[in-house]
Amino acid sequence: MDNTTWTSVSHFVLLGISTHQQEQIPFFLLFLFMYAISISGNVAIITLTVSTPCLQTPMYIFLSNLALADICFTSTTVPKMLQNIFSPTKAISFMGCLAQTYFFICFAAMENFLLAVMAYDRYIAICHPFRYPMILSRRLCVQMVALCHMLSHLHALLHTLLMGRLIFCADNRIPHFFCDLYPLMKISCSSTHLNTLMIHTEGVIVINGALAFIIASYACIISAVLQSPSAKGRWRAFSTCGSHLTVVALFYGTLTWVYFRPLPSYSVATGRILTVMYTVVTPMLNPFIYSLRNGDVKGAFRRWMRGLCSSLFR
C-alpha cells in the first residue's frame, strides 16, 4: 500500500448523538442551552477574577484558567455538533477532524493538569497557611500555568500525529458527535496497536499521574484538617475543598471509563453518553460548583451585579 493511501478519505461523516429525526430538535435545544450556560458561567468566572482585586490570588488565577480551558474545551466540539444536526451531509474534512482531535485532547489535558495544580494550591493553603504567599508567588503561578499549557500541547500533538498516520478506507462514518480517538480507531483499516499502546501508557501516566497527585494532596489535607481542634475550621476546610473534589470525581470518573479500557470492549453508545458528561456537562457545572460553595466568588458576583445594575439604570 503506497504512502498516499491515507488520503483516500477526504472527509468524515459525524453521525452525531442520535440518528432519529424526531430527536434532532430536542437535542439541538438541549445542547444549545447547556453550551450557552457553560460559556456565560465560565466567562463570568474569568471576568470576576480579572476585575476583582481580592480574587487575584493563586487559587482564583488557576480557577480562571480552568474556566478558559472549559470554554475552549466545549467550543471544540459543541458548535460543530449543533451545526451538523441540521446539516444534510454532516461532514468534516480530514484535516478538520485532526484539528478537532488535537484541540479536544489539548484542552482535556489542560483541565487535567490544572486540577492537579489546584489540588497543590489547596494543600499549601491548608497544610502550610503561613508560608502560602511565599511558596505560591505570582511568578510561580505563571510558571505553573505555562507548564500546564506546554504539556497539554505536547500531549495532544503526540496523539494527533499517531492518528494522522492511520489509514481510512471505504467507511468514513464516525458514530459520534466529534472526532474522538476510539471511534476513529474503530473505523481505521490499518493497525491501531501503537495508538492503543500510547493511550494505555503515556495517556495513563498523564491522567493517572495527575489523579494520584490530587489524591495524595487531599490525603495530606484530610490528615491536617482532622488534627485541627476547631470544628468550624474543619468544616470550612472541607467546604473549600468539596467543590474541587466534586469536579475531580466528575471529570476523572467519566474519562477513565471511556479511554482506559481495551479498544475491542469500547461501546460507541456508552462512550457517547459518557463523553457528553465530561465535554459538556462538567464544563457547564464547574462555575456553579465553585461559586455556590465559595463565599468570595458569591460576594464578588453580588458586588459586580450591583455595579452593573447601577450603571445601567443611572
Side-chain angles (χ1 to χ4, degrees):
M1 199 172 286
D2 60 51
N3 292 332
T4 61
T5 307
W6 64 276
T7 61
S8 59
V9 170
S10 60
H11 69 279
F12 294 101
V13 176
L14 294 169
L15 299 180
I17 291 286
S18 173
T19 55
H20 299 293
Q21 193 62 37
Q22 66 272 19
E23 296 176 350
Q24 301 304 306
I25 292 179
F27 273 128
F28 178 84
L29 294 175
L30 174 64
F31 283 100
L32 179 63
F33 174 75
M34 289 195 293
Y35 182 63
I37 294 295
S38 176
I39 295 298
S40 57
N42 284 296
V43 166
I45 291 289
I46 295 171
T47 305
L48 286 174
T49 304
V50 171
S51 61
T52 309
C54 69
L55 294 184
Q56 292 174 10
T57 61
M59 175 181 174
Y60 297 106
I61 290 172
F62 298 141
L63 178 57
S64 62
N65 275 275
L66 181 68
L68 178 61
D70 280 337
I71 290 170
C72 297
F73 193 31
T74 52
S75 298
T76 300
T77 58
V78 176
K80 183 62 178 176
M81 179 187 68
L82 295 175
Q83 178 195 350
N84 281 349
I85 285 176
F86 296 113
S87 170
T89 61
K90 303 183 187 299
I92 184 171
S93 67
F94 184 88
M95 292 308 296
C97 189
L98 285 185
Q100 190 180 56
T101 300
Y102 175 87
F103 287 111
F104 168 77
I105 297 171
C106 177
F107 293 119
M110 195 174 299
E111 182 151 347
N112 168 64
F113 292 126
L114 285 169
L115 288 173
V117 166
M118 290 171 73
Y120 177 70
D121 169 77
R122 291 299 83 206
Y123 163 73
I124 299 297
I126 293 172
C127 298
H128 305 283
F130 299 111
R131 297 175 58 200
Y132 182 80
M134 293 180 290
I135 296 174
L136 279 178
S137 63
R138 182 171 290 272
R139 181 180 178 183
L140 180 60
C141 289
V142 171
Q143 290 173 341
M144 292 171 77
V145 170
L147 183 62
C148 289
H149 282 264
M150 185 184 72
L151 291 176
S152 301
H153 284 283
L154 290 174
H155 175 69
L157 184 62
L158 170 65
H159 290 279
T160 307
L161 290 175
L162 288 174
M163 190 59 63
R165 58 177 282 279
L166 295 182
I167 298 169
F168 299 92
C169 304
D171 189 6
N172 67 341
R173 295 171 302 168
I174 303 174
H176 214 302
F177 62 91
F178 73 102
C179 295
D180 200 3
L181 290 175
Y182 269 9
L184 276 170
M185 290 160 62
K186 279 275 193 180
I187 65 170
S188 172
C189 53
S190 60
S191 173
T192 59
H193 174 73
L194 183 57
N195 300 68
T196 306
L197 179 66
M198 291 308 296
I199 290 173
H200 292 164
T201 53
E202 188 270 350
V204 167
I205 291 170
V206 167
I207 301 299
N208 287 0
L211 180 58
F213 184 82
I214 292 169
I215 292 171
S217 298
Y218 277 98
C220 295
I221 289 171
I222 291 169
S223 176
V225 168
L226 290 176
Q227 294 174 15
S228 172
S230 169
K232 185 179 179 181
R234 286 198 299 270
W235 168 250
R236 184 177 179 182
F238 281 127
S239 179
T240 303
C241 298
S243 56
H244 187 197
L245 288 172
T246 305
V247 174
V248 167
L250 282 172
F251 182 74
Y252 286 99
T254 52
L255 199 67
T256 302
W257 181 267
V258 171
Y259 294 107
F260 300 144
R261 57 195 306 162
L263 181 59
S265 67
Y266 175 79
S267 167
V268 173
T270 306
R272 276 200 302 259
I273 296 169
L274 292 176
T275 304
V276 167
M277 285 300 297
Y278 70 84
T279 58
V280 184
V281 176
T282 303
M284 179 188 70
L285 292 178
N286 279 356
F288 298 100
I289 290 170
Y290 282 108
S291 60
L292 293 176
R293 300 287 298 274
N294 192 301
D296 292 335
V297 174
K298 287 191 289 186
F301 182 73
R302 283 194 291 266
R303 289 192 296 272
W304 181 59
M305 287 300 294
R306 282 198 297 267
L308 185 64
C309 291
S310 63
S311 63
L312 287 175
F313 298 105
R314 185 175 298 170

